[in-house]
Amino acid sequence: MKKMVPIFINIVLYFALVAMIIVAPEYTTFNLFFFLGNLLLSLGLIFIYRHKIKSHLNKGLLVKGFSQLLNLFLIICILGLLNFLIYKNDYYVDLTKHKLNSLSKQSIQAIKKLKGEKLSIQLFSTKNSRKKYLNLLKLYQRQSNFIEIDYIDIEENLSVVQANGIKENGTILINYQNKLYRTLAKDELAVTNLLLKILSPTKKIIYYTVGHNEMSLDSKSPIGGNFLKEKIENSNYELKSLQLQYNVPKDAGLVLILNPQIEFLDSEINNLTKYLEAGGSALISLAPAFNGLMIKKVEQFLMKNGVEYKNLLVLDKLAAQQGAQASIPIVNNYADHPITKGFNDRTLFPISGHFNLMSNAAFEWNVIARSTPFPGSWGETSFQEVRDGKSSYNENIDYKGPLNLFLVGENKNSRIALFSSSSFISNQFQGQSNNFNLFLNTLDWLVREDALLSLDRPGFKGNLIYISSEQVNLVFYLAILTFPFLFFIAAIFVYNRRVNK
């Protein structure tokens, strides 16, 4: 039996070679030398055991064994043909109870709006993460013959990546009617939302105020908003500047006021008020002013609508446990609202103030995001202590957490969103994609494009099991390689014993 071990090893190596060709065909050089090595080993074994092979031929045992191998080979060919036909036709069955591996009804309806027009999708991702993105995109492709998918490796095709301005892994570039759109394909909701916007007959226009030293959407500096501008425009919105002393244009879907530093005129506040009373929407982001606020009229405008802005710095000691500074509160929990439905990712709110809700509310306000409860966080009112690096909570002077970082208001006519941080959407935090996703969700809600802020997925009970890539590889090698080879060797051993009896 010991003399048969090299033969068993040679057979197992051939199966390993077949597995390598199927699983990793890109390693052509390795597979070629693997094959040549096995072939030389086979020729050597044939030469060593030539006398036994001759005796088995005389007995007819080798012919029987070859016949069995031929039958096995034919079975493998049939299975391979079936596998090829299934793969070629991309046939699949979703066996999950809640159809988690199928598209929702909204996504299918969005795809039907193509009406025979070609839509090309380019996926930009690393080789390691492309599978999860491609699996999602193929669900869309299965619903229409007019959807084409192409994959670009961002690590190997740097020139293509730079030419298209790709900055995030998992970005998809959609070409439809000779126009380009892009988004991060993090989930079905993101892709379907973009499809609905692309196929929408009208394009929403967002106006952003200028003239008050606001965040510059053209600046590429760390505190600028160039990246935010790209994200908004890639979401199929049109951005235009606005001098608020003139009337807000009738085609305005939303007015953005991003961290103003200079006082507004009375006429500007009046024009903003008229716009909201006529059914408009506004988004205002502020930030703590270490030398005192210079926008008293904006403060008064907010107070008339039921919100008081506190010029303080929110400090969160628990943020340090998650790898951030105390001045960068981290939010993991959100209020139940269409903006955050299904949104479970953490967001950062660096350099934040606090919004205090008043009783004379002209809007129905909802606090979407808060800092952690005291003593985890507090509102530091002494900016000198912050400068000296000696911040600590002072009773009756500072504010106890949780403090309001992000809230939205709504009445019969209009909607308002208020962020107590402006840095969270600046260029220096462009790596925090969840910040921008939350901001874009807010834009959708404000311009009433919130028909698809969530999908019609049913709720389900039970705990999800997350498997790491190392565990997936372990399952693969055990199920596809190790156990089959062990059973194969055991079968040869049993067969050999029966023959030798």
Side-chain angles (χ1 to χ4, degrees):
M1 181 63 190
K2 292 182 179 180
K3 295 180 179 180
M4 299 296 291
V5 171
I7 298 176
F8 294 155
I9 293 175
N10 189 222
I11 294 172
V12 170
L13 288 176
Y14 273 113
F15 275 97
L17 173 63
V18 172
M20 280 297 299
I21 293 173
I22 295 173
V23 176
E26 63 272 16
Y27 298 107
T28 53
T29 304
F30 175 81
N31 291 338
L32 177 61
F33 280 100
F34 196 178
F35 169 72
L36 293 176
N38 280 351
L39 183 61
L40 289 174
L41 179 60
S42 299
L43 294 175
L45 291 173
I46 291 173
F47 178 78
I48 293 172
Y49 295 105
R50 61 186 183 279
H51 298 298
K52 285 193 174 183
I53 292 173
K54 186 176 181 180
S55 64
H56 282 303
L57 282 172
N58 293 332
K59 295 179 181 179
L61 295 177
L62 198 62
V63 176
K64 292 181 180 178
F66 179 77
S67 176
Q68 295 295 327
L69 288 175
L70 182 61
N71 291 335
L72 178 62
F73 175 75
L74 293 174
I75 292 172
I76 292 174
C77 287
I78 293 172
L79 293 176
L81 178 61
L82 291 174
N83 182 69
F84 172 78
L85 292 174
I86 293 173
Y87 176 80
K88 192 69 176 177
N89 293 279
D90 206 13
Y91 180 74
Y92 79 105
V93 177
D94 187 356
L95 299 178
T96 59
K97 181 180 179 180
H98 297 289
K99 301 300 178 183
L100 299 178
N101 297 315
S102 301
L103 293 180
S104 64
K105 293 179 180 178
Q106 296 108 313
S107 298
I108 295 173
Q109 290 297 323
I111 296 171
K112 289 181 179 179
K113 292 184 179 181
L114 286 174
K115 297 180 180 179
E117 296 186 72
K118 179 182 174 183
L119 185 143
S120 176
I121 302 177
Q122 278 187 314
L123 167 65
F124 293 83
S125 76
T126 61
K127 188 178 296 183
N128 292 333
S129 59
R130 66 176 177 179
K131 187 174 181 180
K132 67 175 182 179
Y133 295 118
L134 284 175
N135 287 343
L136 171 62
L137 296 177
K138 284 181 179 179
L139 293 177
Y140 290 84
Q141 191 179 39
R142 292 187 183 108
Q143 298 294 329
S144 174
N145 295 325
F146 300 100
I147 296 179
E148 296 180 354
I149 300 175
D150 186 25
Y151 165 70
I152 305 295
D153 191 327
I154 61 176
E155 296 174 331
E156 295 183 358
N157 299 280
L158 295 178
S159 59
V160 179
V161 171
Q162 293 176 359
N164 289 280
I166 304 301
K167 299 179 180 179
E168 296 178 274
N169 180 36
T171 298
I172 59 171
L173 194 64
I174 296 180
N175 188 328
Y176 182 69
Q177 294 181 343
N178 296 322
K179 293 182 180 180
L180 294 178
Y181 310 87
R182 71 184 69 198
T183 191
L184 192 64
K186 63 185 186 71
D187 52 29
E188 179 189 349
L189 183 59
V191 178
T192 300
N193 260 321
L194 182 59
L195 285 179
L196 287 174
K197 291 175 183 177
I198 291 173
L199 301 173
S200 176
T202 58
K203 196 173 189 178
K204 297 287 185 178
I205 300 176
I206 296 177
Y207 286 87
Y208 59 95
T209 62
V210 294
H212 311 90
N213 200 22
E214 294 96 338
M215 173 191 287
S216 173
L217 294 181
D218 294 317
S219 173
K220 296 182 180 180
S221 70
I223 61 173
N226 173 261
F227 184 73
L228 173 65
K229 181 180 180 180
E230 290 181 8
K231 297 290 285 187
I232 294 174
E233 292 178 338
N234 291 335
S235 297
N236 203 33
Y237 290 115
E238 184 177 353
L239 277 171
K240 292 184 179 181
S241 62
L242 170 66
Q243 294 184 9
L244 200 53
Q245 66 265 33
Y246 306 108
N247 290 328
V248 179
K250 293 181 179 180
D251 61 355
L254 169 67
V255 171
L256 291 181
I257 303 176
L258 302 176
N259 195 25
Q261 303 294 312
I262 300 175
E263 185 62 279
F264 281 64
L265 301 173
D266 289 332
S267 60
E268 294 177 309
I269 298 297
N270 291 334
N271 287 335
L272 178 61
T273 302
K274 290 178 182 178
Y275 167 69
L276 292 175
E277 289 175 349
S281 299
L283 184 150
I284 302 174
S285 71
L286 301 176
F290 282 49
N291 296 319
L293 284 175
M294 302 294 292
I295 49 172
K296 297 296 182 183
K297 288 185 171 59
V298 174
E299 290 184 85
Q300 293 170 5
F301 166 79
L302 293 178
M303 292 180 69
K304 287 180 180 179
N305 290 293
V307 176
E308 180 184 13
Y309 179 69
K310 295 293 184 180
N311 187 35
L312 51 79
L313 180 65
V314 177
L315 297 176
D316 192 342
K317 294 188 296 184
L318 298 181
Q321 300 178 7
Q322 302 186 55
Q325 299 176 5
S327 60
I328 307 179
I330 297 177
V331 177
N332 295 292
N333 299 305
Y334 309 88
D336 185 17
H337 191 272
I339 292 175
T340 55
K341 191 171 183 179
F343 190 91
N344 300 313
D345 303 314
R346 78 169 194 172
T347 48
L348 309 183
F349 285 83
I351 318 298
S352 296
H354 164 58
F355 291 114
N356 182 44
L357 294 179
M358 304 170 66
S359 58
N360 61 326
F363 286 78
E364 181 181 346
W365 292 100
N366 287 296
V367 180
I368 305 300
R370 292 185 173 95
S371 64
T372 57
F374 184 82
S377 73
W378 75 93
E380 181 60 63
T381 58
S382 174
F383 293 119
Q384 187 58 47
E385 288 187 11
V386 176
R387 293 188 185 98
D388 296 338
K390 299 179 180 179
S391 299
S392 61
Y393 175 75
N394 297 299
E395 191 71 37
N396 299 324
I397 298 176
D398 297 328
Y399 289 77
K400 292 183 178 181
L403 301 173
N404 302 327
L405 305 176
F406 167 37
L407 46 89
V408 295
E410 185 176 13
N411 59 24
K412 294 180 180 179
N413 297 319
S414 56
R415 294 177 175 181
I416 298 180
L418 301 176
F419 287 97
S420 66
S421 169
S422 293
S423 299
F424 85 107
I425 48 171
S426 62
N427 292 333
Q428 62 183 323
F429 286 96
Q430 62 181 272
Q432 300 295 326
S433 59
N434 296 327
N435 286 13
F436 294 89
N437 291 334
L438 180 64
F439 188 85
L440 292 175
N441 276 9
T442 306
L443 294 187
D444 290 341
W445 180 77
L446 288 169
V447 299
R448 291 169 174 79
E449 288 282 357
D450 52 347
L452 196 61
L453 284 175
S454 63
L455 298 172
D456 58 353
R457 295 293 190 190
F460 57 93
K461 298 179 180 179
N463 297 321
L464 293 174
I465 299 176
Y466 296 94
I467 302 178
S468 65
S469 57
E470 291 80 9
Q471 292 171 324
V472 171
N473 290 333
L474 178 62
V475 171
F476 170 79
Y477 287 118
L478 288 176
I480 304 300
L481 300 178
T482 306
F483 289 133
F485 289 161
L486 289 176
F487 284 121
F488 180 75
I489 293 172
I492 294 178
F493 175 76
V494 172
Y495 176 77
N496 187 69
R497 288 193 60 181
R498 289 183 178 180
V499 168
N500 293 331
K501 282 185 179 180

